[in-house]
Amino acid sequence: MSEDRSEIGKKTFEKITGDIGRRFLENLREVAPDFADYLVEFPFGAIYSRPGFDIKTRELITLSSLATQGNANIELKAHIKLALNSGVTREQIIELFMQISVYAGFPAAVNAMLAARDVFKDLDRLE
Amino acid sequence: MSEDRSEIGKKTFEKITGDIGRRFLENLREVAPDFADYLVEFPFGAIYSRPGFDIKTRELITLSSLATQGNANIELKAHIKLALNSGVTREQIIELFMQISVYAGFPAAVNAMLAARDVFKDLDRLE
Amino acid sequence: MSEDRSEIGKKTFEKITGDIGRRFLENLREVAPDFADYLVEFPFGAIYSRPGFDIKTRELITLSSLATQGNANIELKAHIKLALNSGVTREQIIELFMQISVYAGFPAAVNAMLAARDVFKDLDRLE
Amino acid sequence: MSEDRSEIGKKTFEKITGDIGRRFLENLREVAPDFADYLVEFPFGAIYSRPGFDIKTRELITLSSLATQGNANIELKAHIKLALNSGVTREQIIELFMQISVYAGFPAAVNAMLAARDVFKDLDRLE
Amino acid sequence: MSEDRSEIGKKTFEKITGDIGRRFLENLREVAPDFADYLVEFPFGAIYSRPGFDIKTRELITLSSLATQGNANIELKAHIKLALNSGVTREQIIELFMQISVYAGFPAAVNAMLAARDVFKDLDRLE
Amino acid sequence: MSEDRSEIGKKTFEKITGDIGRRFLENLREVAPDFADYLVEFPFGAIYSRPGFDIKTRELITLSSLATQGNANIELKAHIKLALNSGVTREQIIELFMQISVYAGFPAAVNAMLAARDVFKDLDRLE
């Protein structure tokens, strides 16, 4: 039932994205409230909560897709943080983007590396 | 005749893009005068002025293409304004980008939603 | 409720896609049954059934996105047929792909034109 | 004047594309006559005939763009032939696609290499 | 040393790709011998052999990138087989492409699903 | 031998990229030291140093790929400068991006034109 789907979505979304997600969803609700609901319900309620992969692996899959697209900088930075939260190490994130240089080219890989650098700097500053 | 094409292009370009277009074209002419001419003549003189679709529908088609590309943020914001000018409502713009989440994925849709949010904020500020 | 969402999805999917959709979904279910359910539930149950646009306009938006992507030939041909079924004319489909030449380049537009030609030929053969 | 542009376009199109272009344009005219005119007039009449680059260099630029897009196989094969006609050697075409592996990744480069292989085989068969 | 890199590359390439890789490399060598060397040396000698991820995880990353690109059908099918060889299950491959529907849209996911279906059918036929 | 490859790479990288490259590589080494090595060794040591094309032509090929991708703004601006350093004129860069409007659409071309404008302004300011 979609209330369940919504509930599962909200729980999964909050568990995975915490504060990052909350602020992002508020911004999105300002302009697209229904879409904000779908974003929680489908990606998180329907897909991310599926048992097929653990969250760590799902984040690797997502980072690969975003880095390949080369133009999803906001989402890429958000998912770098989510990946770190899920237990992916900084070295693994760099390792993943290095592999992207083979499959999507060096520009896409460089963009992703520089996004990772920004995220790591922000996180270091907060400590 | 290309003077006609140019003339039709200039008229169509001005009618549709007004001030937005004027300033954009000035910037472009600084670096690429011939290209600025082509941009008026082909997209606007040859295509946008064709009777097959009204401007409102053409803007929906353009927004869909730009949102799908995910990396044409300047043009996307310009065309969000042009779409509003042509009679597309804010709700319809959001509705379109929501449909993009199906065909180009949520990152592309989110990028477009946030571009729309920025445009709406600018317009609200000007009132 | 998701049974409603599923039900709405199935009805919308069948209404819009008829036989094309049925065969496609059977192929998909062979390999990805859960995904076949999501494809009916989210794109059709959640998005296509929304009142914001009529089906004709939604098909224009979808065709623009697919033609821009340039690599979704199966879906593009399917949606050309769906667009025709929804009342979009052959001339309008050509008009749309002509506009794509401006926003995604001539190769993407040519790919789409040749896909349209194949679909029209198939349909003419069936008469 | 656009008759001049059309004339220049037709001459340039024929000079560069010969039989390949003729057959292609016939196919296109079946479904999109106006678009076939634009394709001759704008890419060839307005751009390819400009003096800024010789045809050989223009073909390198085009091949790079098409190989990067990764999904314009018909146009890619056509332009491989046009490049050879303009004096680009087979080795240079392979060299170009090798460079693409850096900027767009190995999959795009491999697709282009295999397209080149098909074109070379066809040409060898005709001798 | 690059002989080491070449040696590591050849061993890794053979271990991971077996017959699939051998035939593919022969085809490639016909037209681009240097590039065939680079393809073994850089992707496999330099990247795939790095310890940061096991081969199974590297295949998930690669499949995500290829499915997102939507136009690398040959490589996608090859890597589906390589993933299966490395221990990824058919269900996990389907699960991955389902996640792609969120990040790159349903058309890209559908393309990947149908490629997987073809690969599974071929493999079933060989048994 | 890879020390030779590394040495050739470093020499080629420095010759072509000078200060631009040095600062860029420092930034990259902060977060991805191995990747910084690969970036010098493969693109520059293996590909750019090959005799098939002079550097000027290689820059045209690279600019075409980057402009087509539409989202590699940092690399695009860097390569605009590298192209100028290699002897490509400002007019030729504009001419190239004009051709991109045909093959990748006007948005990609406009993005590239505005990047060129920024680079030219920076360079004029330094004089």
Side-chain angles (χ1 to χ4, degrees):
Chain A
M1 294 173 62
S2 75
E3 292 97 81
D4 290 337
R5 176 77 60 75
S6 283
E7 279 311 303
I8 294 172
K10 281 178 195 152
K11 287 201 181 83
T12 312
F13 185 80
E14 227 181 274
K15 191 184 90 167
I16 296 176
T17 73
D19 281 341
I20 300 167
R22 194 169 309 140
R23 283 191 309 263
F24 166 77
L25 217 59
E26 280 168 16
N27 281 337
L28 204 55
R29 269 191 201 291
E30 274 182 45
V31 69
D34 285 359
F35 180 65
D37 287 342
Y38 287 136
L39 189 141
V40 171
E41 196 191 316
F42 183 60
F44 290 91
I47 302 295
Y48 251 74
S49 60
R50 288 172 63 86
F53 290 119
D54 60 13
I55 299 301
K56 223 167 129 177
T57 307
R58 287 200 182 278
E59 282 303 326
L60 298 179
I61 290 166
T62 295
L63 284 179
S64 178
S65 179
L66 293 176
T68 295
Q69 291 186 49
N71 55 16
N73 211 257
I74 295 174
E75 296 85 5
L76 185 65
K77 288 187 180 183
H79 276 278
I80 289 169
K81 292 179 200 165
L82 299 185
L84 292 169
N85 289 349
S86 77
V88 178
T89 66
R90 292 189 183 191
E91 291 72 28
Q92 285 174 324
I93 284 172
I94 296 306
E95 196 67 41
L96 189 152
F97 294 155
M98 204 180 307
Q99 190 173 329
I100 288 299
S101 72
V102 174
Y103 292 94
F106 275 81
V110 166
N111 278 356
M113 292 292 188
L114 297 179
R117 191 188 65 136
D118 288 349
V119 170
F120 299 165
K121 280 190 153 173
D122 285 347
L123 293 173
D124 289 340
R125 235 194 319 264
L126 293 171
E127 285 173 20
Chain B
M1 294 173 61
S2 75
E3 292 97 82
D4 290 337
R5 178 75 63 74
S6 281
E7 278 312 302
I8 295 172
K10 282 179 196 150
K11 286 201 182 83
T12 312
F13 185 79
E14 226 181 275
K15 189 184 91 167
I16 296 175
T17 74
D19 282 339
I20 299 169
R22 193 170 309 141
R23 284 191 310 263
F24 166 77
L25 217 59
E26 280 168 15
N27 280 338
L28 205 53
R29 272 192 198 291
E30 275 181 43
V31 70
D34 285 359
F35 180 65
D37 287 342
Y38 287 136
L39 189 140
V40 171
E41 194 191 319
F42 182 61
F44 290 90
I47 302 291
Y48 251 73
S49 61
R50 289 173 61 86
F53 289 121
D54 59 16
I55 301 300
K56 223 167 128 178
T57 307
R58 287 201 181 277
E59 283 302 328
L60 297 179
I61 290 165
T62 296
L63 285 179
S64 178
S65 179
L66 293 176
T68 295
Q69 293 185 46
N71 55 15
N73 211 258
I74 295 174
E75 298 84 6
L76 184 65
K77 287 187 179 183
H79 276 277
I80 290 171
K81 292 178 198 163
L82 300 184
L84 292 170
N85 289 349
S86 77
V88 179
T89 66
R90 292 188 183 192
E91 290 72 31
Q92 285 174 323
I93 285 171
I94 297 304
E95 197 65 44
L96 190 153
F97 294 155
M98 204 181 306
Q99 191 172 329
I100 289 298
S101 72
V102 175
Y103 292 96
F106 275 80
V110 166
N111 278 355
M113 292 292 188
L114 297 179
R117 191 188 66 135
D118 288 350
V119 170
F120 298 165
K121 280 190 152 175
D122 285 348
L123 294 173
D124 290 340
R125 237 194 317 263
L126 292 171
E127 285 172 21
Chain C
M1 294 172 63
S2 77
E3 291 98 81
D4 290 339
R5 177 71 65 72
S6 280
E7 278 312 302
I8 294 172
K10 282 179 196 151
K11 288 202 180 82
T12 312
F13 185 79
E14 227 180 276
K15 191 183 90 168
I16 296 175
T17 74
D19 282 337
I20 300 167
R22 195 170 308 141
R23 284 189 310 260
F24 167 77
L25 218 59
E26 280 168 15
N27 282 338
L28 204 54
R29 267 191 203 293
E30 275 181 43
V31 70
D34 284 359
F35 180 66
D37 287 342
Y38 287 137
L39 189 140
V40 170
E41 196 191 317
F42 181 59
F44 290 90
I47 301 294
Y48 251 74
S49 61
R50 289 173 60 87
F53 289 121
D54 60 15
I55 300 301
K56 222 167 131 176
T57 308
R58 286 199 182 279
E59 283 302 327
L60 298 179
I61 290 165
T62 294
L63 285 179
S64 178
S65 179
L66 293 175
T68 296
Q69 293 186 47
N71 55 16
N73 211 257
I74 296 174
E75 296 84 7
L76 185 65
K77 288 187 177 182
H79 275 278
I80 289 170
K81 292 179 198 164
L82 299 185
L84 292 169
N85 289 349
S86 77
V88 178
T89 66
R90 291 189 184 191
E91 289 73 31
Q92 285 175 324
I93 284 172
I94 297 306
E95 196 67 43
L96 189 152
F97 294 156
M98 205 180 307
Q99 191 173 329
I100 288 297
S101 72
V102 174
Y103 293 95
F106 275 80
V110 166
N111 278 355
M113 292 292 188
L114 297 179
R117 190 187 68 134
D118 288 350
V119 170
F120 299 165
K121 281 191 151 174
D122 283 349
L123 294 173
D124 290 341
R125 231 190 327 258
L126 292 170
E127 284 172 18
Chain D
M1 295 172 61
S2 74
E3 292 98 80
D4 290 338
R5 177 73 64 73
S6 281
E7 278 312 303
I8 294 173
K10 281 177 196 153
K11 287 201 180 84
T12 312
F13 185 80
E14 226 180 276
K15 190 183 92 168
I16 295 176
T17 73
D19 282 339
I20 298 168
R22 194 171 307 141
R23 283 190 312 262
F24 166 77
L25 218 59
E26 279 168 16
N27 280 337
L28 205 54
R29 270 193 198 290
E30 274 181 43
V31 70
D34 285 0
F35 180 66
D37 287 342
Y38 287 137
L39 190 140
V40 170
E41 195 191 317
F42 182 60
F44 290 90
I47 301 291
Y48 251 73
S49 61
R50 288 173 61 86
F53 289 121
D54 61 13
I55 300 300
K56 224 167 129 177
T57 307
R58 285 200 182 277
E59 283 301 328
L60 298 179
I61 290 165
T62 295
L63 284 179
S64 179
S65 179
L66 293 176
T68 295
Q69 291 186 47
N71 56 15
N73 212 257
I74 295 173
E75 297 83 7
L76 185 66
K77 288 188 178 182
H79 276 277
I80 289 170
K81 293 179 198 163
L82 299 186
L84 292 170
N85 289 349
S86 77
V88 178
T89 67
R90 292 189 184 192
E91 289 72 31
Q92 285 174 323
I93 285 171
I94 297 305
E95 197 66 43
L96 190 153
F97 294 155
M98 205 180 305
Q99 191 172 330
I100 288 298
S101 72
V102 175
Y103 292 95
F106 275 81
V110 166
N111 277 356
M113 293 291 188
L114 297 179
R117 191 187 66 136
D118 288 350
V119 170
F120 299 165
K121 281 190 153 174
D122 284 347
L123 294 173
D124 290 341
R125 235 193 318 263
L126 292 170
E127 284 171 22
Chain E
M1 295 173 60
S2 74
E3 291 99 78
D4 290 338
R5 176 73 62 73
S6 281
E7 279 312 304
I8 294 172
K10 282 178 194 153
K11 287 201 180 86
T12 312
F13 184 80
E14 227 180 275
K15 190 184 91 168
I16 295 177
T17 74
D19 282 339
I20 299 168
R22 194 171 309 139
R23 285 190 309 264
F24 166 77
L25 217 59
E26 279 168 16
N27 280 337
L28 205 54
R29 269 192 201 291
E30 274 181 43
V31 70
D34 285 0
F35 180 66
D37 287 341
Y38 287 137
L39 189 141
V40 170
E41 197 192 315
F42 183 59
F44 289 90
I47 301 296
Y48 251 74
S49 61
R50 288 174 61 88
F53 288 120
D54 62 13
I55 300 301
K56 224 167 128 175
T57 307
R58 286 200 181 278
E59 284 301 327
L60 297 180
I61 290 165
T62 295
L63 285 179
S64 178
S65 179
L66 293 175
T68 295
Q69 293 186 49
N71 55 16
N73 212 257
I74 295 173
E75 296 85 5
L76 185 65
K77 287 187 180 184
H79 276 278
I80 289 171
K81 291 178 200 165
L82 300 185
L84 291 170
N85 290 349
S86 77
V88 178
T89 66
R90 291 188 183 192
E91 289 72 30
Q92 284 173 324
I93 285 171
I94 296 306
E95 197 66 42
L96 189 152
F97 295 155
M98 204 180 306
Q99 190 172 330
I100 289 298
S101 72
V102 174
Y103 292 95
F106 275 81
V110 166
N111 278 355
M113 292 292 187
L114 297 179
R117 191 187 66 135
D118 288 349
V119 170
F120 298 165
K121 281 189 152 174
D122 285 346
L123 294 174
D124 290 341
R125 234 191 322 259
L126 293 170
E127 287 173 18
Chain F
M1 295 173 63
S2 77
E3 292 98 81
D4 290 339
R5 176 75 63 74
S6 281
E7 278 312 302
I8 294 172
K10 282 177 194 151
K11 288 202 180 83
T12 312
F13 184 80
E14 228 181 275
K15 190 183 91 168
I16 296 176
T17 74
D19 281 337
I20 299 168
R22 194 172 306 142
R23 283 191 311 261
F24 166 77
L25 217 59
E26 280 168 16
N27 281 337
L28 203 55
R29 269 191 203 291
E30 275 182 43
V31 70
D34 285 0
F35 180 66
D37 287 341
Y38 287 137
L39 190 141
V40 171
E41 196 192 315
F42 182 59
F44 290 90
I47 302 293
Y48 251 74
S49 62
R50 289 173 61 87
F53 289 121
D54 61 14
I55 300 301
K56 223 168 130 176
T57 308
R58 287 201 181 276
E59 283 301 328
L60 297 178
I61 290 165
T62 296
L63 284 179
S64 178
S65 180
L66 292 176
T68 296
Q69 292 186 49
N71 55 17
N73 211 257
I74 296 174
E75 297 83 8
L76 184 65
K77 287 188 180 183
H79 275 277
I80 290 170
K81 292 179 199 165
L82 299 185
L84 292 170
N85 289 351
S86 76
V88 178
T89 66
R90 290 188 183 191
E91 290 71 31
Q92 284 175 324
I93 285 171
I94 297 306
E95 196 67 42
L96 189 153
F97 294 155
M98 205 179 307
Q99 190 173 329
I100 289 297
S101 72
V102 174
Y103 292 95
F106 276 80
V110 166
N111 277 356
M113 292 291 188
L114 297 179
R117 190 188 67 135
D118 287 350
V119 170
F120 299 165
K121 279 190 153 176
D122 284 347
L123 293 173
D124 290 342
R125 233 190 325 260
L126 292 171
E127 286 170 20

